[in-house]
Each structure stands twice: as C-alpha cells, then as structure tokens.
Amino acid sequence: MEKKDILILGIESSCDETAAAVVKNGREVLSNVISSQIELHKLYGGVVPEIASRKHIEKINQVVEEALKDADVTLDDLDAIGVTYGPGLVGALLVGVSAAKAISYAKKIPLVGVHHIEGHISANYIENKDLEPPFVCLVVSGGHTHLVIVRDYGKYEIIGKTRDDAAGEAYDKVARAIGLGYPGGPKIDKLSKEGNPDAIKFPRAKMEDAPYDFSFSGLKSAVLNYLNAAKMKGETVNDADLAASFQKAVCDVLVEHAVRAAKEYGFDKLAIAGGVASNSTLRASMEKACAENQIQFYHPSPVFCTDNAAMIGAAAYYEFLAGTRHGWDLNAVPNLKLGER
Ligand code: KG4
Ligand code: ZN
C-alpha cells in the first residue's frame, strides 16, 4: 500500500503577521498566505499588542480560507492543525490558538501546538530537501538570537543566546535612531549597500565565560553615542556608512559564533533562520565562512525567514510524526521555552 500523504494546516499569529499555510509531508508548501500588519504598526514605530490582537481576529478566518483555497483542499482533507502557541504576544497568540482549536474540535482533526522558534528552524526543511538533523542553527529574529544544536527533529539544545537585545531588535532600534522607520532590518540592509562597512569601528561584544552568547546592547549604545557626538559637534553623519558599519559589526559576531559552534561541536551543516536570516550581508558572510571551513550552509528564502505559517506546518509535521498532540486546554504561552511541551 502506498503511504498516504500527510496534509497539515499551519497557523501563525504570534506577532504582527496573520498567516496560514497548507504543507504536504512537512516539506512541500501547497499554499502560504500572510497578511501583514506592518503598515498599521509603522504609524507607532513598532508593534502595538492590542492593535495586533484585534487585527488578527479580523483576518484569521479569511487567511485560513484563502490558504485552503490556494492549496485546493478542504478542511476534510487535513490530517492535523499545527499552531504557534508561544513565545509571542499573548493576545496575538490566543487568536491563532483559538482558531486552531475550533477547527480541530469541529472537524475532529488532531491539534499540534508548535514553538515559534521550532517553526523558524523548520523553515529550512522546505527548500532544502536533503537537510536532516543533526545540524547547528543560528536563529536570528526580532525577539530571539539563539544558537541551537538540532540533535533530531524536535530535539534542541540551546548553546548560546543573547543577554540583552535580539539581533533584529538592534536593527530596528538603530534604524529608528537614523529615522528609517519600522521594521528597520530590511531598510538598514538596503541602505548598507551604499555605505562603507569599515567606515566606523563599532564594538563586537565577547563573553569570556560564555563564548556562544551574544550581546547587542553595547553596539546599540555605541551607535547612539556616535550619533549624539556628531550632533553636539554639528557634524553630519553619513547614514549609509553608519548602517553598513553597524551591520558588519552584527554579522561578524553572528558568523563567528555560528561557525565556531559548528567546528567545535563537530557538525558540517549550519543553517540560519528568522527574520534577520534574510539579511544580505549575513547570508553572504555566512556563505563565505562556511565554504572556507568545509561546512554546508543552509538558509530559507526570505519569505520563509520572516514570520509565516509554512514553517509552522513543517514543524508540526515532525511533531505529529513524533506523536505530539494537544488537547482543548492548549493555551497561549508567551514565554514558552524551546523543547517544552
Ligand atoms: O522572524 P521575524 O519575522 O519575527 C520574529 O519572530 O521576531 O523577524 C522580524 C525581525 C525584525 O526585527 C526585522 O527588522 C528583521 O527581522 N529583519 C531583518 C531583515 N528582514 C527582517 N533584519 C535584517 N535584514 C533584513 N533583510
Ligand atoms: Zn518569528
């Protein structure tokens, strides 16, 4: 008998994207619908949690319907519903979790809660059909900067993380300081292409006691001090040089830590994930460093780096195979730890 395909509807609503996707056998994306609230939050310079929750409620049903339609399936074709239940904004998460529970209850389809970071990591499986654990993954998003060893599907060991700001958060704060607006990452990425990355020497933080940990608050302060000092002296700042120099400082540390981890732990596969993983300098530097060290480098396309539901469908597939099932008591867990069930 031929093995039946497993179809999973993934739902994601942890921050400012309402997203739904249908994924076949964990790696084939049949549809991927993302309704972004960025334009709305731009007015406030960042995500406003209450507005995010309200907007998710308005959009969720429409996004789910569209994902099913694009994939040319109905709820009856689904084998499971995968949904992000943490970490994230509690009100935002609750919308996705409630929608997933309602579908699961009405259609008697298994419910699989997914950790948002597990989703980001699993985005790598979508386009890299050969990628299987174990490997090292650098997760860099607006809320997280984690260096993770993916021992197996669903088995993670965090070997380093940020002690203060996440990489994406640092991008967003620096972008705001030079008036680029929200979200700052893509804007700094673009502006950097016109600047000299060696124009300004910004600090690279090193933690002697924890070589895989990160810290970006010192770098952020150095950028703000540089801007203030220039203002006091009445000097004009070359924003492109500043953006490029800041970006290089961030990427140097990310690449150095990730490649060192792969070498010291003895892995020849390194993946990146999360919104900042779509950064052009990070991708180019990682590519180069991996090639120099005989490490195979993996990354998702930009659409699967920033928040999306295809990555949740991919992660839910492996959780589903491992037997993970959640009940009607599944709740949003804003500070959910990776590896917790
Ligand atoms: O993964 P994500 O969509 O949401 C979270 O889980 O946090 O990441 C969003 C973050 C934002 O901080 C955004 O500025 C950053 O990813 N980002 C980028 C780029 N695209 C998005 N940072 C640097 N370069 C980019 N091209
Ligand atoms: Zn994310």
Side-chain angles (χ1 to χ4, degrees), residues 6 8 79-81 110-114 118 153-155 315-327 341:
I6 292 180
I8 295 189
D79 295 280
I81 316 274
L111 178 67
V112 181
V114 172
E118 177 168 29
Y153 295 109
K155 296 221 162 36
Y317 172 76
Y318 291 103
E319 289 289 346
F320 178 79
L321 291 190
T324 303
R325 302 289 184 271
H326 284 94
R341 293 284 184 286

Side-chain angles (χ1 to χ4, degrees), residues 12 14-15 116-117 120 141-144 274-275 305-308 311:
E12 156 66 40
S14 65
C15 189
H116 184 73
I117 297 298
H120 275 302
S141 72
H144 307 270
C305 285
T306 40
D307 288 350
N308 66 88
M311 68 183 198

Side-chain angles (χ1 to χ4, degrees), residues 154-176:
K155 296 221 162 36
Y156 307 97
E157 188 184 324
I158 299 170
I159 57 168
K161 58 175 143 188
T162 183
R163 299 215 170 160
D164 37 64
D165 291 351
E169 200 177 348
Y171 265 94
D172 294 337
K173 286 178 179 168
V174 167
R176 189 183 307 171

